[in-house]
Amino acid sequence: MSVRTAWIRAALLASLAWLASGCAVPLKPGTGADFSALVEEASPALVTVLGPAGALGSGFVVADSGLVATTAHGLGRHGSLVVILADGRQVAARVLRRSETHDLALLAPERPLGLRGLALAGAMPRVGSPVLALGNPFGLGPAASAGIVGAVPGALGREGPLADLVQTDAAINPGNSGGPLLDLRGEVVGVVSASASLGHGIGFAVPVARLRELLEAGAASDGQ
């Protein structure tokens, strides 16, 4: 065994011994691996968005609005949209408002969905905080993936089109777009948008502040 190999082995053993001794930093309450209660509470607000040419995406009902939030890409400019609820019901919908700049859209179902919507978080999540992504990856049905926030808008040195997005290592796959990114309170901190095709564990979500702006812009125009 070389001196270098022996040194690395000794360092690893020392690290494991330190962890076993109980000196590891404990997780804060509520940041454990069991997200089952959060998934159970939030999942009923999740819908599948069926767009033109059978394109499948995700969306969710926004609390106190009756509207479905999703991403703008994949919706097309024309053609019918359908939202599919967790119980299998299908309801036609139309694009009420959209922002191509921020890849967001609000859909108005032709009739009330009767679902309790998800509340929007009032603040940006902190880097390192746990998050949960809900969606319909590959059209396989509702699914959840957990991770942490890797970066937030305004982070030092981030530039270009990704600078305004929340980054996460929660698994993001085709079909997840439009689903909610939730904090541990079950509040929406972002709308899942895309993943890095050449990377691993690098996904992006539009920050909830942009969704709030779209909702408020519509409310202002409706009141005129």
Side-chain angles (χ1 to χ4, degrees):
M1 180 184 297
S2 68
V3 174
R4 176 179 173 82
T5 302
W7 183 88
I8 293 175
R9 183 172 183 272
L12 288 173
L13 290 174
S15 297
L16 291 174
W18 181 79
L19 291 172
S21 70
C23 295
V25 178
L27 291 174
K28 292 182 179 180
T31 60
D34 189 354
F35 290 89
S36 58
L38 179 56
V39 172
E40 183 177 353
E41 183 176 354
S43 289
L46 182 70
V47 302
T48 297
V49 179
L50 180 60
L56 288 173
S58 302
F60 60 94
V61 180
V62 180
D64 303 324
S65 73
L67 302 178
V68 172
T70 187
T71 45
H73 74 265
L75 294 181
R77 284 294 178 183
H78 304 286
S80 60
L81 297 173
V82 174
V83 294
I84 305 173
L85 281 58
D87 61 8
R89 285 183 292 149
Q90 299 188 15
V91 180
R94 62 183 177 87
V95 178
L96 181 66
R97 291 185 290 276
R98 68 193 298 159
S99 169
E100 300 291 350
T101 302
H102 301 300
D103 191 24
L104 288 175
L106 289 171
L107 310 183
E110 68 174 11
R111 64 177 185 273
L113 301 181
L115 302 177
R116 187 180 69 176
L118 298 177
L120 305 184
M124 187 77 67
R126 297 174 61 187
V127 174
S129 59
V131 285
L132 183 76
L134 296 181
N136 183 23
F138 298 108
L140 297 175
S145 57
I148 63 169
V149 173
V152 296
L156 186 63
R158 291 175 68 86
E159 299 177 350
L162 302 181
D164 192 40
L165 299 176
V166 176
Q167 181 180 319
T168 178
D169 65 350
I172 306 296
N173 291 290
N176 271 114
S177 294
L181 187 69
L182 304 171
D183 62 17
L184 292 182
R185 294 183 297 272
E187 296 179 342
V188 179
V189 297
V191 180
V192 174
S193 179
S195 62
S197 60
L198 298 180
H200 177 70
I202 303 178
F204 300 98
V206 181
V208 70
R210 299 302 186 188
L211 175 58
R212 194 182 299 278
E213 289 172 3
L214 193 60
L215 286 162
E216 292 174 353
S221 62
D222 294 343
Q224 292 180 351

